[in-house]
Amino acid sequence: MDTKSLIIEKATILFQQKGYKSVGLTEILKACNVTKGALYHHFPNGKEQLLIACLQVLNEVIMTDIESIFRRHLSTKEALLSIIDKLIRDLETEGTITGYTFSSIVSEMATVSEPVRHACSALYENIQQIYSAKLVTDGLSNESASAIALLMTASIEGAMMLCLTQQSSDPLKTIAKLLPKLLKDI
Amino acid sequence: MDTKSLIIEKATILFQQKGYKSVGLTEILKACNVTKGALYHHFPNGKEQLLIACLQVLNEVIMTDIESIFRRHLSTKEALLSIIDKLIRDLETEGTITGYTFSSIVSEMATVSEPVRHACSALYENIQQIYSAKLVTDGLSNESASAIALLMTASIEGAMMLCLTQQSSDPLKTIAKLLPKLLKDI
DNA sequence: GTCTATAAGCAGATAGAC
DNA sequence: GTCTATCTGCTTATAGAC
Protein backbone atom coordinates (compact mmCIF):
# COMPACT_ATOMS: atom_id res chain seq x y z
CA MET A 1 0.00 0.00 0.00
CA ASP A 2 1.31 3.45 -0.86
CA THR A 3 2.00 6.17 1.66
CA LYS A 4 -0.74 8.49 0.51
CA SER A 5 -3.46 5.86 1.02
CA LEU A 6 -1.96 4.90 4.35
CA ILE A 7 -2.09 8.47 5.61
CA ILE A 8 -5.68 8.88 4.43
CA GLU A 9 -6.74 5.63 6.06
CA LYS A 10 -5.24 6.38 9.46
CA ALA A 11 -6.29 10.03 9.40
CA THR A 12 -9.88 9.11 8.56
CA ILE A 13 -10.12 6.92 11.65
CA LEU A 14 -8.69 9.60 13.89
CA PHE A 15 -10.88 12.36 12.43
CA GLN A 16 -14.01 10.24 12.88
CA GLN A 17 -13.09 9.43 16.44
CA LYS A 18 -11.86 12.75 17.74
CA GLY A 19 -12.96 15.38 15.26
CA TYR A 20 -10.71 17.63 13.21
CA LYS A 21 -9.10 20.14 15.52
CA SER A 22 -8.45 17.63 18.27
CA VAL A 23 -6.23 15.55 16.02
CA GLY A 24 -2.75 16.97 15.53
CA LEU A 25 -0.65 16.29 12.46
CA THR A 26 1.97 14.69 14.66
CA GLU A 27 -0.62 12.24 15.96
CA ILE A 28 -1.56 11.23 12.43
CA LEU A 29 2.07 10.87 11.39
CA LYS A 30 2.87 8.76 14.42
CA ALA A 31 -0.01 6.42 13.57
CA CYS A 32 1.46 5.96 10.07
CA ASN A 33 5.15 5.94 10.93
CA VAL A 34 5.66 8.68 8.39
CA THR A 35 7.18 12.13 8.68
CA LYS A 36 6.04 15.64 7.89
CA GLY A 37 8.01 15.71 4.67
CA ALA A 38 6.04 12.82 3.20
CA LEU A 39 2.71 14.25 4.26
CA TYR A 40 3.32 17.69 2.79
CA HIS A 41 4.57 16.06 -0.40
CA HIS A 42 1.19 14.36 -0.92
CA PHE A 43 -0.94 17.14 0.58
CA PRO A 44 0.77 20.47 -0.20
CA ASN A 45 -2.16 22.42 1.24
CA GLY A 46 -1.84 20.68 4.54
CA LYS A 47 -4.33 19.38 7.05
CA GLU A 48 -7.55 20.63 5.51
CA GLN A 49 -6.66 19.14 2.15
CA LEU A 50 -6.02 15.85 3.91
CA LEU A 51 -9.42 16.01 5.61
CA ILE A 52 -11.19 16.56 2.30
CA ALA A 53 -9.30 13.65 0.76
CA CYS A 54 -10.43 11.52 3.71
CA LEU A 55 -14.06 12.54 3.19
CA GLN A 56 -13.87 11.66 -0.50
CA VAL A 57 -12.46 8.21 0.17
CA LEU A 58 -14.99 7.74 2.97
CA ASN A 59 -17.68 8.65 0.48
CA GLU A 60 -16.63 5.86 -1.88
CA VAL A 61 -16.24 3.30 0.88
CA ILE A 62 -19.62 4.06 2.41
CA MET A 63 -21.33 4.03 -0.98
CA THR A 64 -20.05 0.62 -2.06
CA ASP A 65 -20.68 -0.76 1.41
CA ILE A 66 -24.27 0.40 1.70
CA GLU A 67 -25.01 -0.51 -1.89
CA SER A 68 -23.81 -4.06 -1.30
CA ILE A 69 -25.96 -4.30 1.81
CA PHE A 70 -28.99 -3.19 -0.16
CA ARG A 71 -28.19 -5.77 -2.84
CA ARG A 72 -27.98 -8.56 -0.26
CA HIS A 73 -31.25 -7.73 1.49
CA LEU A 74 -34.56 -7.84 -0.26
CA SER A 75 -36.49 -5.59 2.08
CA THR A 76 -35.60 -2.03 3.02
CA LYS A 77 -36.27 -2.90 6.62
CA GLU A 78 -33.71 -5.71 6.67
CA ALA A 79 -31.12 -3.57 4.95
CA LEU A 80 -31.61 -0.73 7.39
CA LEU A 81 -31.31 -3.05 10.36
CA SER A 82 -28.16 -4.53 8.89
CA ILE A 83 -26.63 -1.07 8.56
CA ILE A 84 -27.49 -0.09 12.12
CA ASP A 85 -26.25 -3.44 13.31
CA LYS A 86 -22.86 -2.85 11.76
CA LEU A 87 -22.67 0.55 13.46
CA ILE A 88 -23.48 -1.08 16.79
CA ARG A 89 -20.84 -3.77 16.35
CA ASP A 90 -18.24 -1.15 15.37
CA LEU A 91 -19.18 1.00 18.30
CA GLU A 92 -18.96 -1.87 20.75
CA THR A 93 -15.60 -3.10 19.52
CA GLU A 94 -13.94 0.27 18.93
CA GLY A 95 -15.78 2.37 21.49
CA THR A 96 -15.91 5.34 19.14
CA ILE A 97 -17.45 6.61 15.95
CA THR A 98 -16.57 4.64 12.86
CA GLY A 99 -18.26 3.42 9.74
CA TYR A 100 -21.05 5.44 8.21
CA THR A 101 -21.12 8.35 10.61
CA PHE A 102 -18.97 11.44 10.66
CA SER A 103 -20.95 13.81 12.83
CA SER A 104 -17.83 14.80 14.72
CA ILE A 105 -16.41 16.30 11.56
CA VAL A 106 -19.63 17.87 10.33
CA SER A 107 -20.59 19.75 13.43
CA GLU A 108 -17.10 21.03 14.00
CA MET A 109 -16.28 22.12 10.48
CA ALA A 110 -19.55 22.95 8.72
CA THR A 111 -19.60 26.48 10.04
CA VAL A 112 -15.86 26.97 9.66
CA SER A 113 -14.83 25.62 6.24
CA GLU A 114 -16.89 25.75 3.07
CA PRO A 115 -15.02 23.02 1.15
CA VAL A 116 -15.40 20.64 4.08
CA ARG A 117 -19.07 21.47 4.41
CA HIS A 118 -19.56 20.66 0.74
CA ALA A 119 -17.79 17.32 1.04
CA CYS A 120 -19.97 16.35 4.02
CA SER A 121 -23.10 17.53 2.28
CA ALA A 122 -22.32 15.33 -0.74
CA LEU A 123 -21.82 12.35 1.52
CA TYR A 124 -25.15 12.73 3.31
CA GLU A 125 -26.90 13.28 0.02
CA ASN A 126 -25.49 10.07 -1.45
CA ILE A 127 -26.52 8.02 1.55
CA GLN A 128 -30.05 9.41 1.51
CA GLN A 129 -30.22 8.85 -2.22
CA ILE A 130 -29.64 5.13 -1.78
CA TYR A 131 -32.28 4.84 0.94
CA SER A 132 -34.69 6.90 -1.09
CA ALA A 133 -34.24 4.94 -4.32
CA LYS A 134 -34.93 1.71 -2.50
CA LEU A 135 -38.05 3.14 -0.91
CA VAL A 136 -39.35 4.19 -4.31
CA THR A 137 -39.02 0.62 -5.57
CA ASP A 138 -41.04 -0.33 -2.48
CA GLY A 139 -43.83 1.73 -3.95
CA LEU A 140 -43.46 5.06 -2.20
CA SER A 141 -43.81 8.40 -3.91
CA ASN A 142 -40.67 10.39 -4.49
CA GLU A 143 -41.55 12.92 -1.83
CA SER A 144 -42.33 10.53 0.99
CA ALA A 145 -39.37 8.33 0.04
CA SER A 146 -36.90 11.17 0.36
CA ALA A 147 -38.57 12.39 3.55
CA ILE A 148 -38.23 9.00 5.18
CA ALA A 149 -34.70 8.62 3.89
CA LEU A 150 -33.89 11.88 5.62
CA LEU A 151 -35.44 10.77 8.88
CA MET A 152 -33.43 7.54 8.70
CA THR A 153 -30.16 9.39 8.20
CA ALA A 154 -30.94 11.99 10.83
CA SER A 155 -32.02 9.56 13.51
CA ILE A 156 -28.99 7.34 12.94
CA GLU A 157 -26.62 10.28 13.24
CA GLY A 158 -28.46 11.62 16.27
CA ALA A 159 -28.53 8.22 17.94
CA MET A 160 -24.81 7.91 17.31
CA MET A 161 -24.34 11.15 19.18
CA LEU A 162 -26.41 9.87 22.09
CA CYS A 163 -24.35 6.67 22.11
CA LEU A 164 -21.21 8.75 22.40
CA THR A 165 -22.43 10.74 25.38
CA GLN A 166 -23.92 7.73 27.16
CA GLN A 167 -21.03 5.48 26.23
CA SER A 168 -23.51 2.83 25.32
CA SER A 169 -24.95 1.35 22.15
CA ASP A 170 -28.49 1.39 23.54
CA PRO A 171 -29.68 4.47 21.62
CA LEU A 172 -28.84 2.79 18.30
CA LYS A 173 -30.59 -0.37 19.45
CA THR A 174 -33.67 1.62 20.37
CA ILE A 175 -34.01 3.32 17.00
CA ALA A 176 -33.36 -0.04 15.33
CA LYS A 177 -36.58 -1.17 16.98
CA LEU A 178 -38.59 1.94 16.15
CA LEU A 179 -37.62 2.76 12.57
CA PRO A 180 -39.06 -0.46 11.07
CA LYS A 181 -42.47 0.50 12.46
CA LEU A 182 -42.19 3.70 10.51
CA LEU A 183 -41.50 1.74 7.33
CA LYS A 184 -44.56 -0.44 7.80
CA ASP A 185 -47.41 1.98 7.76
CA ILE A 186 -46.69 4.21 4.84
CA MET B 1 -25.28 41.86 34.66
CA ASP B 2 -22.10 40.54 36.22
CA THR B 3 -19.00 39.62 34.26
CA LYS B 4 -19.18 35.91 34.97
CA SER B 5 -22.68 35.58 33.52
CA LEU B 6 -21.71 37.72 30.56
CA ILE B 7 -18.75 35.50 29.74
CA ILE B 8 -20.89 32.37 30.04
CA GLU B 9 -23.59 33.81 27.84
CA LYS B 10 -21.28 34.86 25.02
CA ALA B 11 -19.15 31.74 25.25
CA THR B 12 -22.21 29.49 25.08
CA ILE B 13 -23.28 31.04 21.79
CA LEU B 14 -19.81 30.70 20.31
CA PHE B 15 -19.38 27.10 21.49
CA GLN B 16 -22.76 26.11 20.06
CA GLN B 17 -21.96 27.74 16.76
CA LYS B 18 -18.36 26.72 16.19
CA GLY B 19 -17.62 23.91 18.63
CA TYR B 20 -15.07 23.97 21.42
CA LYS B 21 -11.62 23.89 19.89
CA SER B 22 -12.49 26.27 17.08
CA VAL B 23 -13.29 29.04 19.55
CA GLY B 24 -10.25 30.73 21.03
CA LEU B 25 -10.24 32.40 24.42
CA THR B 26 -9.36 35.68 22.74
CA GLU B 27 -12.46 35.43 20.58
CA ILE B 28 -14.65 34.94 23.64
CA LEU B 29 -13.00 37.81 25.47
CA LYS B 30 -13.39 40.12 22.50
CA ALA B 31 -17.11 39.32 22.35
CA CYS B 32 -17.42 40.32 26.02
CA ASN B 33 -14.99 43.24 26.08
CA VAL B 34 -13.23 41.59 28.97
CA THR B 35 -9.61 40.55 29.46
CA LYS B 36 -7.84 37.35 30.34
CA GLY B 37 -7.37 38.45 33.94
CA ALA B 38 -11.11 38.65 34.55
CA LEU B 39 -11.79 35.31 32.89
CA TYR B 40 -9.18 33.43 34.86
CA HIS B 41 -10.44 35.06 38.04
CA HIS B 42 -13.88 33.51 37.52
CA PHE B 43 -12.69 30.29 35.89
CA PRO B 44 -9.33 29.37 37.45
CA ASN B 45 -9.25 26.07 35.60
CA GLY B 46 -9.56 27.80 32.28
CA LYS B 47 -11.42 27.03 29.11
CA GLU B 48 -12.77 23.59 29.94
CA GLN B 49 -14.21 24.83 33.22
CA LEU B 50 -15.89 27.62 31.29
CA LEU B 51 -17.39 25.12 28.84
CA ILE B 52 -18.84 23.03 31.66
CA ALA B 53 -20.32 26.15 33.27
CA CYS B 54 -21.89 26.96 29.90
CA LEU B 55 -23.40 23.50 29.63
CA GLN B 56 -24.87 23.76 33.12
CA VAL B 57 -26.49 27.10 32.41
CA LEU B 58 -27.67 25.79 29.05
CA ASN B 59 -29.19 22.87 30.89
CA GLU B 60 -31.27 25.15 33.09
CA VAL B 61 -32.33 27.39 30.23
CA ILE B 62 -33.38 24.50 28.02
CA MET B 63 -35.25 22.81 30.84
CA THR B 64 -37.37 25.82 31.81
CA ASP B 65 -37.94 26.62 28.16
CA ILE B 66 -39.11 23.17 27.13
CA GLU B 67 -41.15 22.76 30.27
CA SER B 68 -43.00 25.98 29.60
CA ILE B 69 -43.69 24.86 26.04
CA PHE B 70 -45.13 21.61 27.32
CA ARG B 71 -47.29 23.53 29.78
CA ARG B 72 -48.67 25.75 27.03
CA HIS B 73 -49.56 22.93 24.65
CA LEU B 74 -52.03 20.26 25.54
CA SER B 75 -50.89 17.63 23.06
CA THR B 76 -47.39 16.19 22.80
CA LYS B 77 -47.57 16.63 19.07
CA GLU B 78 -48.19 20.38 19.30
CA ALA B 79 -45.45 20.82 21.87
CA LEU B 80 -42.95 18.93 19.72
CA LEU B 81 -43.83 20.99 16.67
CA SER B 82 -43.46 24.16 18.67
CA ILE B 83 -39.97 23.10 19.77
CA ILE B 84 -38.86 22.24 16.25
CA ASP B 85 -40.40 25.45 15.02
CA LYS B 86 -38.32 27.48 17.42
CA LEU B 87 -35.18 25.70 16.22
CA ILE B 88 -36.09 26.49 12.64
CA ARG B 89 -36.67 30.16 13.40
CA ASP B 90 -33.37 30.39 15.29
CA LEU B 91 -31.55 28.65 12.48
CA GLU B 92 -33.03 30.92 9.85
CA THR B 93 -32.27 34.12 11.71
CA GLU B 94 -28.84 33.20 13.08
CA GLY B 95 -27.70 30.75 10.40
CA THR B 96 -26.09 28.50 12.98
CA ILE B 97 -26.82 26.14 15.82
CA THR B 98 -28.57 27.71 18.80
CA GLY B 99 -31.27 26.79 21.22
CA TYR B 100 -31.76 23.21 22.26
CA THR B 101 -28.99 21.58 20.28
CA PHE B 102 -25.34 21.28 21.11
CA SER B 103 -24.16 18.51 18.81
CA SER B 104 -21.09 20.51 17.88
CA ILE B 105 -19.86 20.30 21.45
CA VAL B 106 -20.87 16.69 22.03
CA SER B 107 -19.26 15.12 19.04
CA GLU B 108 -16.05 17.04 19.48
CA MET B 109 -15.60 16.58 23.19
CA ALA B 110 -17.34 13.34 24.20
CA THR B 111 -14.34 11.22 23.32
CA VAL B 112 -11.84 13.73 24.67
CA SER B 113 -13.09 14.96 28.06
CA GLU B 114 -15.00 12.94 30.61
CA PRO B 115 -16.46 15.88 32.60
CA VAL B 116 -17.80 17.43 29.40
CA ARG B 117 -19.25 14.13 28.28
CA HIS B 118 -21.06 13.84 31.60
CA ALA B 119 -22.50 17.35 31.35
CA CYS B 120 -23.80 16.64 27.84
CA SER B 121 -25.20 13.30 28.88
CA ALA B 122 -27.15 14.92 31.72
CA LEU B 123 -28.58 17.47 29.32
CA TYR B 124 -29.82 14.89 26.83
CA GLU B 125 -31.25 12.82 29.63
CA ASN B 126 -33.23 15.75 31.01
CA ILE B 127 -34.67 16.61 27.62
CA GLN B 128 -35.72 13.02 26.97
CA GLN B 129 -37.16 12.80 30.46
CA ILE B 130 -39.56 15.66 29.72
CA TYR B 131 -40.68 14.13 26.43
CA SER B 132 -41.02 10.75 28.03
CA ALA B 133 -43.06 11.96 31.02
CA LYS B 134 -45.49 13.69 28.71
CA LEU B 135 -45.86 10.57 26.58
CA VAL B 136 -46.65 8.52 29.66
CA THR B 137 -49.50 10.87 30.54
CA ASP B 138 -50.67 10.29 26.96
CA GLY B 139 -51.11 6.67 27.93
CA LEU B 140 -47.91 5.07 26.73
CA SER B 141 -46.00 2.48 28.69
CA ASN B 142 -42.74 3.58 30.25
CA GLU B 143 -40.67 1.60 27.76
CA SER B 144 -42.28 2.85 24.59
CA ALA B 145 -42.43 6.39 25.97
CA SER B 146 -38.71 6.52 26.60
CA ALA B 147 -37.98 4.85 23.26
CA ILE B 148 -39.98 7.44 21.38
CA ALA B 149 -38.49 10.24 23.44
CA LEU B 150 -35.09 9.01 22.37
CA LEU B 151 -36.07 8.92 18.72
CA MET B 152 -37.39 12.45 18.99
CA THR B 153 -34.16 13.74 20.50
CA ALA B 154 -31.98 11.82 18.08
CA SER B 155 -33.83 12.84 14.95
CA ILE B 156 -33.87 16.49 15.98
CA GLU B 157 -30.12 16.49 16.62
CA GLY B 158 -29.46 14.59 13.41
CA ALA B 159 -31.68 16.88 11.41
CA MET B 160 -29.87 19.86 12.87
CA MET B 161 -26.63 18.39 11.57
CA LEU B 162 -28.13 17.96 8.12
CA CYS B 163 -29.36 21.55 8.23
CA LEU B 164 -25.82 22.68 8.97
CA THR B 165 -24.29 20.84 6.03
CA GLN B 166 -27.04 21.81 3.60
CA GLN B 167 -27.27 25.34 4.94
CA SER B 168 -31.01 25.00 4.89
CA SER B 169 -33.76 24.47 7.41
CA ASP B 170 -35.51 21.89 5.20
CA PRO B 171 -34.33 18.81 7.14
CA LEU B 172 -35.93 20.13 10.33
CA LYS B 173 -39.11 20.92 8.40
CA THR B 174 -39.19 17.40 7.01
CA ILE B 175 -38.92 15.67 10.37
CA ALA B 176 -41.52 18.09 11.74
CA LYS B 177 -43.89 16.53 9.22
CA LEU B 178 -42.90 12.93 9.91
CA LEU B 179 -42.58 12.73 13.67
CA PRO B 180 -46.27 13.48 14.38
CA LYS B 181 -47.22 10.42 12.32
CA LEU B 182 -45.08 8.39 14.64
CA LEU B 183 -46.93 9.77 17.63
CA LYS B 184 -50.29 8.85 16.18
CA ASP B 185 -50.16 5.13 15.81
CA ILE B 186 -48.71 3.95 19.07
C1' DG C 1 9.61 10.47 -2.25
C1' DT C 2 11.11 10.70 2.29
C1' DC C 3 13.86 12.52 5.90
C1' DT C 4 15.49 16.21 9.71
C1' DA C 5 15.65 20.61 11.45
C1' DT C 6 13.58 24.75 11.99
C1' DA C 7 10.57 28.49 11.49
C1' DA C 8 6.55 31.38 12.70
C1' DG C 9 2.38 31.92 14.99
C1' DC C 10 -1.06 31.15 18.18
C1' DA C 11 -3.10 28.60 21.90
C1' DG C 12 -4.01 28.48 26.86
C1' DA C 13 -2.25 29.92 31.12
C1' DT C 14 0.32 32.92 34.74
C1' DA C 15 2.25 37.00 37.46
C1' DG C 16 1.89 40.96 39.35
C1' DA C 17 0.36 46.02 39.12
C1' DC C 18 -3.64 48.67 40.13
C1' DG D 1 -12.16 42.26 40.36
C1' DT D 2 -9.91 43.76 36.35
C1' DC D 3 -5.97 45.12 33.81
C1' DT D 4 -1.30 44.43 31.00
C1' DA D 5 2.65 41.98 29.95
C1' DT D 6 4.77 37.79 29.63
C1' DC D 7 5.71 32.72 29.44
C1' DT D 8 5.49 28.11 27.77
C1' DG D 9 4.24 24.74 24.76
C1' DC D 10 2.18 23.12 20.85
C1' DT D 11 0.37 23.79 16.21
C1' DT D 12 0.82 23.96 11.24
C1' DA D 13 3.94 24.72 7.77
C1' DT D 14 8.62 25.27 5.30
C1' DA D 15 13.53 24.52 3.68
C1' DG D 16 16.79 21.89 2.21
C1' DA D 17 19.66 17.49 2.59
C1' DC D 18 19.51 12.78 0.98
Side-chain angles (χ1 to χ4, degrees), chain A residues 24-43:
Chain A
L25 284 185
T26 3
E27 189 178 355
I28 297 170
L29 298 172
K30 209 184 296 172
C32 310
N33 271 317
V34 166
T35 55
K36 287 217 162 77
L39 187 141
Y40 275 92
H41 171 74
H42 294 290
F43 307 95

Side-chain angles (χ1 to χ4, degrees), chain B residues 60-78:
Chain B
E60 290 160 28
V61 172
I62 293 179
M63 283 311 102
T64 54
D65 218 18
I66 294 190
E67 274 167 359
S68 96
I69 288 179
F70 270 91
R71 264 195 303 276
R72 278 203 304 278
H73 299 275
L74 282 178
S75 81
T76 309
K77 181 189 155 189
E78 279 175 314

Side-chain angles (χ1 to χ4, degrees), chain B residues 137-158:
Chain B
T137 69
D138 288 357
L140 267 71
S141 71
N142 281 333
E143 298 97 291
S144 40
S146 72
I148 291 185
L150 188 142
L151 182 64
M152 282 161 62
T153 313
S155 51
I156 288 176
E157 283 286 341

Side-chain angles (χ1 to χ4, degrees), chain A residues 21-22 107 117 161 165, chain B residues 21-22 107 117 161 165 182:
Chain A
K21 292 255 164 76
S22 299
S107 50
R117 189 185 65 76
M161 199 121 32
T165 60
Chain B
K21 293 255 164 77
S22 298
S107 50
R117 188 184 67 74
M161 199 120 33
T165 59
L182 199 86

